[in-house]
Amino acid sequence: MDAAAIFSETDLKGTITYVNEQFCQVSGYSREELLGANHRILNSGHHPRSYFIEMWRTIAAGEVWKGQVCNRAKDGSLYWVDSTIVPMVDDEGKIYRYASIRFNITEKQHLLERLRAKVGRDELTGLPNRARLTEYFNQIIAEPYKGSSQMAICMLDLDDFKSVNDRYGHAVGDQLITEVAARLKMVTRAGDVVSRIGGDEFVLILNGVSQTSDLQRSLQRVLTTVGSPYVIEDKPIGITASIGVTLYPSDNVSADTLVRHADQAMYQAKQRGGNRVQLFDVLHEQETRASHQTVARVQEALRNGELLLHYQPKVNLRNGHILGFEALLRWHHPELGMIPPGEFLPVVEQSDLIVDIGNWVLDEALSQLAIWQAQGHNWTMAVNIAARHFQRDDFAEVVRTKLQQHETLRPENLDLEILESVAIDNIQHANRNLDACRQMGVKLSLDDFGTGYSSLSYLKRLPAQTIKIDQTFVRGILTDSNDQALVEAIIRLAVAFHRDVIAEGVESWAQARTLMLLGCDLAQGYGIARPMSAEAVPSWAASFNIRNFSQQPRELPFSIA
Ligand code: C2E
Ligand code: MG
Ligand code: MG
């Protein structure tokens, strides 16, 4: 910046009445040319008229005006001044002249311009960069979106660009990027935005999208154009690209999230082999988000002590003996009341929270069992174990430790229920954990048996002692011959493999009787008792009598001990 001050004075109409030497030097005009001329002689055309109207209004009102002005010198070049204009007032308070003091700030202004350009543009390709893109997005999203068409935000990433760099060097890589940028500009429309946000990543914004089929076609054209052969430094180069795209305002999120969604879709396009377009799935994203919320809420429930266990007895139908109880998870929601596990466990089972919950269930169930044992009951406690929990390397060790914490309990008091399908899907892993548990003496049951399509060879390899016939088959046992055949087959299978068998979901004595006729004496179900709180168990057990259940039909085809 030139530090010398530039002075001038004008009359009320702007006619120049005085200039100092510095004024002449900077503007390139001689003093003679300036005096008597209107100040407009320096007008650069850079500022809107309103800028000067405002300035005149201020000084005519007797106030000092400050601002930065771009002037044009005699030779046509532009220069910037930092200007202060002071109205001079006579004894009567009337303005009779305006005095100006200015400093030349041209250099600083040029520097700023260069910086701004640098911030907004990608140096290699000259395309708008990430900062400029975000600015653009924010402008769009700040206003409510009108119209029926959408805006497509596309993330384009070259497939395996790294190998071009590795093979031909970065200079060639840079030239390829420049060429890709040029092709992208060419293949998009005037109102669209093409920007480069990093290495080989480009963001395209296509406006006025009304049909996804049109969008698909446009983007396919982009892929074809980018994917056509290149010749760089006489070397033929082939490359393809993957595009992920999301639509605004269908996907109504912040600017950053839009880019992230497009990026996610692009990643999927790559996973599916690249050289393709992948549309972001808004519905799926919303579901995922809802799942995250559920998991977070259940985590809170676990922390706040809103989870509890109910217990459902397993009995011998022939002699009325109570074998033990199955612990079933409940969520006592402060507003929604009691929520069954089917409403939150499927989501939670996809996350590691199920491991914390499973461990909590084990602790709680074993503590409860120890209490009942101290009261003289020799029951087993069945605990359901989720796949994710069960597949942990340390699962068997954790079970061992927990059992050791209750010295009165023996391992055979604990019965782990594992879904048949889970055990089969992970037979290698499952077997290691199952073997370790069995060696410890812990009992194992295959839950919901019959729904997991296990083959005989699998069953042979699974070391579970007990098979639990799924309740859907039990439900149809009286009315559906297929169900009855299935139940019978499962029972025979159990006998052949020397496994115990228990039926779940036994609701009526008629069902119980049929089961016994088919060879299954052990049962669990609403007909015997619904799951109940821990407090309710002792009195239920004291009053339980299988005769009460069996009283429903009169004739008894078997003896009750
Ligand atoms: P499951 O292990 O097969 O448990 C049996 C389910 O059937 C229980 O539902 C039980 O209340 C219900 N039930 C019992 N008898 C009858 C009957 O006669 N009729 C009918 N209609 N239903 C009967 P619940 O408690 O809602 O549990 C559902 C599933 O949630 C369980 O199926 C189990 O897979 C899972 N689950 C429950 N607690 C836990 C837990 O602590 N950890 C894990 N990982 N899963 C659990
Ligand atoms: Mg179960
Ligand atoms: Mg079951």
Side-chain angles (χ1 to χ4, degrees):
M1 191 182 7
D2 197 338
I6 307 164
F7 283 109
S8 70
E9 288 180 4
T10 68
D11 66 15
L12 300 187
K13 289 191 184 122
T15 309
I16 301 172
T17 53
Y18 169 81
V19 289
N20 72 349
E21 184 51 33
Q22 188 65 15
F23 195 116
C24 299
Q25 265 184 26
V26 173
S27 68
Y29 289 103
S30 67
R31 182 166 280 115
E32 291 71 43
E33 287 170 299
L34 289 168
L35 294 179
N38 191 286
H39 206 282
R40 274 198 299 273
I41 191 174
L42 302 173
N43 192 344
S44 65
H46 186 90
H47 304 281
R49 257 171 59 82
S50 56
Y51 191 70
F52 294 110
I53 292 174
E54 176 56 32
M55 179 195 91
W56 277 106
R57 193 173 291 146
T58 308
I59 55 179
E63 285 166 33
V64 173
W65 181 88
K66 287 184 186 197
Q68 294 179 345
V69 183
C70 179
N71 283 338
R72 192 176 295 279
K74 189 178 176 184
D75 65 3
S77 65
L78 299 175
Y79 66 95
W80 281 85
V81 289
D82 193 294
S83 173
T84 306
I85 306 179
V86 184
M88 316 277 283
V89 185
D90 63 16
D91 293 346
E92 285 154 31
K94 265 173 50 188
I95 302 168
Y96 65 98
R97 203 184 296 154
Y98 298 115
S100 312
I101 174 167
R102 302 183 176 87
F103 292 97
N104 190 352
I105 55 162
T106 309
E107 238 172 81
K108 182 178 121 190
Q109 207 65 18
H110 282 173
L111 204 67
L112 265 176
E113 264 165 20
R114 271 206 303 277
L115 260 176
R116 262 193 218 120
K118 225 173 166 173
V119 166
R121 300 256 153 218
D122 167 44
E123 267 187 76
L124 181 62
T125 60
L127 294 176
N129 63 12
R130 190 188 279 273
R132 179 73 195 88
L133 185 74
T134 309
E135 215 173 275
Y136 178 77
F137 265 137
N138 288 338
Q139 268 168 20
I140 291 173
I141 290 175
E143 293 168 20
Y145 195 83
K146 294 188 213 85
S148 56
S149 66
Q150 307 232 39
M151 187 172 91
I153 294 92
C154 318
M155 173 74 73
L156 181 146
D157 189 290
L158 298 180
D159 298 329
D160 203 17
F161 174 65
K162 189 176 171 295
S163 72
V164 173
N165 271 336
D166 290 349
R167 214 165 136 199
Y168 304 106
H170 283 271
V172 169
D174 280 358
Q175 284 180 58
L176 180 68
I177 292 288
T178 314
E179 177 67 26
V180 168
R183 291 188 188 185
L184 287 175
K185 280 301 281 182
M186 193 188 71
V187 75
T188 48
R189 289 175 306 184
D192 298 339
V193 176
V194 179
S195 64
R196 177 176 178 235
I197 62 164
D200 60 340
E201 285 182 324
F202 297 84
V203 170
L204 316 185
I205 301 175
L206 313 183
N207 289 298
V209 177
S210 48
Q211 300 227 317
T212 6
S213 54
D214 290 346
L215 175 66
Q216 287 280 3
R217 248 194 310 274
S218 306
L219 292 177
Q220 210 52 54
R221 207 167 51 237
V222 171
L223 284 187
T224 315
T225 309
V226 171
S228 315
Y230 297 77
V231 178
I232 292 168
E233 291 181 0
D234 295 332
K235 298 176 189 82
I237 297 178
I239 194 131
T240 56
S242 298
I243 299 179
V245 43
T246 194
L247 289 169
Y248 178 83
S250 281
D251 188 12
N252 203 349
V253 288
S254 71
D256 283 351
T257 315
L258 279 172
V259 175
R260 194 159 45 76
H261 285 174
D263 195 55
Q264 258 168 269
M266 186 273 292
Y267 185 71
Q268 277 172 8
K270 294 244 182 215
Q271 279 188 322
R272 294 175 55 211
N275 193 19
R276 68 185 65 228
V277 176
Q278 176 74 45
L279 192 65
F280 177 74
D281 189 340
V282 178
L283 277 182
H284 181 255
E285 162 74 11
Q286 283 165 354
E287 276 169 23
T288 315
R289 217 179 314 147
S291 304
H292 284 315
Q293 281 167 3
T294 306
V295 170
R297 183 60 192 90
V298 176
Q299 186 151 36
E300 207 180 303
L302 176 64
R303 254 200 321 265
N304 295 350
E306 291 165 22
L307 298 185
L308 70 157
L309 295 179
H310 275 183
Y311 300 90
Q312 189 182 32
K314 298 181 178 184
V315 303
N316 184 318
L317 294 167
R318 268 183 208 280
N319 57 22
H321 196 72
I322 299 169
L323 310 168
F325 289 79
E326 176 177 4
L328 293 162
L329 188 63
R330 301 287 179 265
W331 174 8
H332 193 181
H333 192 285
E335 285 114 42
L336 305 174
M338 207 63 96
I339 305 180
E343 284 183 28
F344 60 95
L345 275 190
V347 170
V348 171
E349 278 173 353
Q350 309 301 317
S351 80
D352 279 339
L353 177 59
I354 193 62
V355 177
D356 295 340
I357 290 184
N359 284 331
W360 176 85
V361 172
L362 274 169
D363 284 333
E364 184 75 8
L366 289 176
S367 305
Q368 187 56 57
L369 186 63
I371 293 172
W372 289 334
Q373 206 168 55
Q375 294 167 356
H377 301 293
N378 185 26
W379 292 328
T380 56
M381 179 64 85
V383 174
N384 292 284
I385 303 293
R388 212 185 176 94
H389 193 188
F390 189 70
Q391 286 159 19
R392 305 273 288 206
D393 287 337
D394 64 348
F395 177 77
E397 245 353 271
V398 169
V399 170
R400 186 195 304 278
T401 315
K402 292 195 185 304
L403 277 166
Q404 282 166 354
Q405 283 162 1
H406 303 275
E407 29 192 69
T408 55
L409 296 183
R410 281 170 293 126
E412 50 272 32
N413 293 137
L414 178 63
D415 184 356
L416 301 178
E417 293 196 4
I418 290 127
L419 287 180
E420 176 205 10
S421 48
V422 170
I424 301 299
D425 283 350
N426 303 280
I427 191 132
Q428 291 294 341
H429 223 86
N431 254 3
R432 213 174 325 129
N433 280 322
L434 290 174
D435 282 337
C437 287
R438 196 184 52 170
Q439 273 164 22
M440 236 184 282
V442 170
K443 286 187 177 162
L444 298 163
S445 296
L446 287 180
D447 208 347
D448 297 357
F449 194 87
T451 57
Y453 312 104
S454 20
S455 74
L456 291 178
S457 61
Y458 277 139
L459 186 58
K460 200 181 91 190
R461 287 160 66 189
L462 285 171
Q465 283 91 349
T466 307
I467 289 173
K468 294 189 80 177
I469 308 172
D470 189 66
Q471 50 181 283
T472 51
F473 307 125
V474 174
R475 198 167 302 143
I477 199 171
L478 300 172
T479 49
D480 186 327
S481 58
N482 284 331
D483 281 347
Q484 190 173 359
L486 256 162
V487 169
E488 197 175 348
I490 294 174
I491 294 170
R492 289 208 183 154
L493 209 63
V495 173
F497 284 100
H498 308 291
R499 307 289 153 90
D500 292 333
V501 62
I502 180 167
E504 337 177 283
V506 177
E507 296 186 353
S508 71
W509 182 248
Q511 288 171 339
R513 197 181 46 188
T514 310
L515 282 163
M516 283 188 281
L517 284 172
L518 295 174
C520 173
D521 292 349
L522 310 184
Q524 182 183 0
Y526 290 174
I528 300 151
R530 287 183 173 256
M532 61 191 102
S533 67
E535 298 75 56
V537 165
S539 65
W540 174 85
S543 66
F544 173 67
N545 186 341
I546 194 74
R547 280 174 198 277
N548 298 341
F549 179 35
S550 66
Q551 229 99 76
Q552 296 167 14
R554 275 187 202 274
E555 81 293 4
L556 297 177
F558 46 82
S559 64
I560 293 175

